[in-house]
Amino acid sequence: MPKPQRIEGQSSVAIDSHIQAISGLKTMVVAAIQHQAEFEAIGKVISIQPLLVLRERYLVAQAELNGAKARFKQTGQSLKRQQELFRNGITAKRSLQEQEAQGSGDQALVDAAQIRLMAIASKTRLMWGKELADWALSDKTGKLKAFLSGQQQLLQITLPANKQLTSKVDTLFVEPSGQRNKAHLASLISRSTHADSSLQGESYFFQTNAGGLNIGMKVTAWIPEPTLGQYGVVIPEAAVIWYMDQVYVYIKAAKDTYTRRLIKAFLLTPDGYFVKDDINAGEEVVITGGQMLLSEELRGQIPDEN
């Protein structure tokens, strides 16, 4: 095996083409991409049961209001008859007064039922925001069925205190174990009217169809930064070599020569690692066999006893 060479101040190793073939060494030419920076937030899976309780109370109050209106309408018709009979001298004034009192009582019941209905609607909007309240208190309840069936999970995401959700952001990615490459898409519903008591940032409701989420479970959310993306390249996780607590990749420098290059900064993405400065677009990066190259390089550094 040839001794390690130095190419532009970096260690390199030469590997015979036959060895490359039988060892399964593979490379890829990296292309420039624009990467959108993200920041992390904390969220949790919440139950819609309290929302359903308010919906039930709203429906009961609505039924009571409809019943009160029906009674008041009937009382009004009876009052008109009593008034006509009184004008014609057929009934006594006392009967008319009793009917008027009944009408006033029924009117009060209608007013009270309306107040109860409005109070429940206001409480629902205050606790859950306009969008979710509309789903619960209108004929849009079909949207709640997905939560009841488990097809969708309701999330409350709380941003860091110094962050905001811009108007352009209506989706983000979430994952309970904090692994970005396993994250699932979540869609914005509305801003939450109350924040998580343990956090200080703005809070939002999102929905997701990610599996494996249970009520009460904490999730990590990744949210696009309100800035322009950065240009760089993305390399697969398999291309990364950890050595002496530092990150390296091998770059193909010539037909049979590979250079080990230090990666000083990188970001984890769903597709691998985003590298902004240390790899140039068009370079050929080893994606399989990097560990073998490192072993050969280190072996070549051992002094020859002969």
Side-chain angles (χ1 to χ4, degrees), residues 124-146:
T124 306
R125 291 188 177 92
L126 181 63
M127 294 182 63
W128 294 92
K130 183 180 183 303
E131 192 70 22
L132 283 170
D134 286 349
W135 292 3
L137 307 182
S138 69
D139 57 359
K140 299 178 182 178
T141 53
K143 293 187 177 182
L144 295 180
K145 292 181 180 178

Side-chain angles (χ1 to χ4, degrees), residues 246-302:
Q246 291 183 306
V247 173
Y248 295 89
V249 296
Y250 276 95
I251 306 293
K252 188 171 185 177
K255 179 181 179 182
D256 296 329
T257 305
Y258 297 87
T259 301
R260 176 162 54 89
R261 184 178 300 174
L262 175 65
I263 305 300
K264 296 183 286 293
F266 60 89
L267 294 172
L268 182 62
T269 74
D271 301 316
Y273 293 101
F274 173 77
V275 181
K276 180 176 180 291
D277 298 317
D278 298 312
I279 303 175
N280 298 318
E283 290 191 298
E284 198 167 348
V285 178
V286 174
I287 59 172
T288 301
Q291 196 63 51
M292 180 271 294
L293 290 176
L294 178 62
S295 298
E296 293 297 336
E297 178 188 336
L298 297 179
R299 184 192 306 177
Q301 294 175 0
I302 299 175

Side-chain angles (χ1 to χ4, degrees), residues 52-218:
L52 296 177
V53 170
L54 288 169
R55 168 175 166 75
E56 182 179 357
R57 288 177 55 192
Y58 182 83
L59 293 177
V60 171
Q62 193 172 55
E64 291 175 349
L65 175 59
N66 292 337
K69 285 181 176 180
R71 287 191 297 272
F72 179 66
K73 181 179 179 181
Q74 185 177 11
T75 300
Q77 293 171 346
S78 298
L79 178 59
K80 287 181 179 180
R81 287 195 298 269
Q82 285 292 333
Q83 289 171 338
E84 184 66 24
L85 292 172
F86 179 74
R87 281 195 297 268
N88 293 308
I90 300 175
T91 187
K93 185 175 183 179
R94 182 177 178 180
S95 297
L96 175 60
Q97 291 173 335
E98 290 176 350
Q99 192 64 51
E100 288 174 340
Q102 181 67 44
S104 297
D106 288 345
Q107 177 66 68
L109 291 176
V110 170
D111 294 342
Q114 286 179 328
I115 291 172
R116 283 196 296 273
L117 192 69
M118 291 173 60
I120 296 171
S122 297
K123 183 178 181 179
T124 306
R125 291 188 177 92
L126 181 63
M127 294 182 63
W128 294 92
K130 183 180 183 303
E131 192 70 22
L132 283 170
D134 286 349
W135 292 3
L137 307 182
S138 69
D139 57 359
K140 299 178 182 178
T141 53
K143 293 187 177 182
L144 295 180
K145 292 181 180 178
F147 296 107
L148 294 172
S149 66
Q151 294 176 341
Q152 293 283 338
Q153 295 290 345
L154 183 61
L155 308 174
Q156 184 178 11
I157 306 296
T158 303
L159 276 55
N162 61 338
K163 296 292 186 178
Q164 292 181 328
L165 196 68
T166 66
S167 58
K168 295 182 179 179
V169 176
D170 56 9
T171 59
L172 49 74
F173 287 87
V174 296
E175 215 282 318
S177 66
Q179 299 183 61
R180 180 63 179 86
N181 59 338
K182 295 183 178 180
H184 294 270
L185 190 68
S187 302
L188 175 67
I189 297 175
S190 67
R191 182 170 179 173
S192 173
T193 54
H194 58 282
D196 189 315
S197 59
S198 63
L199 302 170
Q200 298 299 320
E202 296 178 354
S203 187
Y204 295 85
F205 290 123
F206 281 79
Q207 61 182 347
T208 181
N209 60 2
L213 295 179
N214 299 317
I215 293 172
M217 186 178 289
K218 297 288 186 179

